[in-house]
Amino acid sequence: MSVTRSRPDTDASLVADIEIESSSRVVNDVELHVVTAGDPDAPLVVLLHGHPDFWYGWRDQIRPLVDAGFRVVVPDQRGCNLSDAPDGIDAYRLSELVADVADLIDSEGRESAHVVGHDFGGFVAWNLALRRPSLVDRLGILNVPHPTVYRETLRSSPRQLLRSWYVWFYQLPKLPEWLLARNGMDNMVDSLELTSNPETFDQGTIDRYRAAWEHTGIRPRIHWYRGFRRSERPPRTSVTQPTLLCWGEDDVALVSSMAERSMEYCATGRVRTFPDASHWVHHERDAVTDALLDHLS
């Protein structure tokens, strides 16, 4: 059963300067809100947001990708904004999130796509490449290490273990939802501001994020992390697709050494680091969009 609330104005109408539209797609037995732009017959790029984001987090990349000749598809992942929010932790295992993207690619009439992910969307993108490699042409990742590197670093680095405190906190029942939802979700706003550089998110943008969070509630987003802990490991560790990893070096949640180590698991991989950029590197550096365009082209 999904939670139904009045629909906020957090669809494609938030971006008015290009031809862009919202639609609903039933994939893997859930209904996703999907934003699309560009020629339906052009090479396909799927952009995957993370936490506490929604499709709008890719607004600065959509137009450059369309202008470069791509078809761009940006879903609200399950549990977020205008997409369905199924009940239960198991609905948010990585295998389910990967299946959503696989069916989304199929819904475009395609056998494969370029896939780009940020934050938890990066974990979904890594896992799609590892679990369903034939579906991914080129892989773009923003500030998320290869899953094996993340797991090994948690075991060996007290600094990373400390930085990942929120992953363990989210495993607690009920308390994370209560803490993050109280006072009009001020703690969610704080998480945006603490993990980004000053003025990355203006007040108008924060208001749009609040509306997206309030629509589905906080629990489905916390279930991403609970489902992550229950997820089976991918059947392989080596990524065969050409891979670009862009990394803001001032990420407060992830140690930068994981970026280069991730390339050990990529047959053809490249890292672009951005000093003085935060976890929200694609909001803070136009060069990230340029790097993605170069990589996907």
Side-chain angles (χ1 to χ4, degrees):
M1 180 184 299
S2 299
V3 176
T4 302
R5 295 179 172 87
S6 60
R7 183 183 176 99
D9 295 327
T10 49
D11 58 10
S13 63
L14 292 178
V15 177
D17 61 340
I18 59 174
E19 291 188 14
I20 187 173
E21 62 181 15
S22 285
S23 63
S24 294
R25 308 273 181 95
V26 176
V27 299
N28 191 28
D29 297 326
V30 296
E31 186 174 296
L32 298 187
H33 168 245
V34 181
V35 170
T36 57
D39 183 348
D41 296 322
L44 178 62
V45 180
V46 177
L47 304 176
L48 301 174
H49 69 81
H51 173 76
D53 218 339
F54 66 112
W55 76 266
Y56 186 64
W58 293 107
R59 62 195 178 278
D60 294 331
Q61 285 69 48
I62 294 173
R63 180 171 193 141
L65 285 165
V66 170
D67 289 346
F70 291 101
R71 166 72 165 176
V72 182
V73 173
V74 195
D76 281 325
Q77 295 203 70
R78 62 168 61 195
C80 299
N81 192 32
L82 302 178
S83 289
D84 278 353
D87 289 335
I89 296 172
D90 287 342
Y92 298 88
R93 290 177 185 242
L94 278 166
S95 57
E96 296 295 339
L97 297 171
V98 164
D100 291 351
V101 182
D103 283 4
L104 182 60
I105 293 171
D106 182 69
S107 76
E108 283 283 310
R110 307 300 184 93
E111 295 182 353
S112 61
H114 303 307
V115 180
V116 181
H118 170 248
D119 187 79
F120 206 97
F123 274 123
V124 177
W126 280 118
N127 272 266
L128 182 68
L130 293 168
R131 297 169 188 261
R132 305 285 296 275
S134 65
L135 295 180
V136 180
D137 297 324
R138 286 176 174 263
L139 184 65
I141 304 290
L142 309 183
N143 272 73
V144 176
H146 185 285
T148 300
V149 172
Y150 181 67
R151 185 172 60 251
E152 291 177 346
T153 305
L154 278 177
R155 293 173 177 170
S156 61
S157 170
R159 186 161 59 118
Q160 182 55 57
L161 187 64
L162 182 62
R163 291 191 183 193
S164 296
W165 68 270
Y166 59 94
V167 177
W168 319 115
F169 173 68
Y170 288 163
Q171 307 308 311
L172 298 174
K174 297 183 180 180
L175 179 60
E177 289 93 329
W178 174 81
L179 188 63
L180 293 176
R182 65 193 297 267
N183 297 330
M185 301 197 179
D186 282 348
N187 284 325
M188 291 284 283
V189 174
D190 289 345
S191 72
L192 283 181
E193 295 179 339
L194 290 171
T195 58
S196 64
N197 284 335
E199 301 182 359
T200 297
F201 297 98
D202 60 26
Q203 188 57 52
T205 301
I206 288 173
D207 290 343
R208 293 172 183 130
Y209 276 90
R210 281 188 196 269
W213 300 332
E214 290 171 352
H215 183 60
T216 49
I218 297 301
R219 175 164 294 166
R221 294 175 178 270
I222 303 303
H223 279 349
W224 280 9
Y225 291 88
R226 293 167 176 153
F228 177 78
R229 294 283 295 163
R230 295 187 181 187
S231 297
E232 296 179 352
R233 295 181 186 179
R236 57 183 60 82
T237 59
S238 179
V239 175
T240 58
Q241 299 85 350
T243 301
L244 172 68
L245 175 55
C246 293
W247 197 280
E249 293 186 333
D250 285 351
D251 193 318
V252 299
L254 299 166
V255 296
S256 294
S257 61
M258 291 192 290
E260 287 293 345
R261 286 192 58 206
S262 294
M263 295 301 98
E264 297 172 9
Y265 294 91
C266 297
T268 307
R270 183 165 62 101
V271 176
R272 283 285 308 274
T273 57
F274 296 86
D276 303 319
S278 77
H279 181 73
W280 300 91
V281 63
H282 56 311
H283 291 280
E284 297 171 359
R285 296 291 183 271
D286 292 340
V288 171
T289 304
D290 295 337
L292 287 172
L293 290 171
D294 180 65
H295 174 62
L296 300 179
S297 298

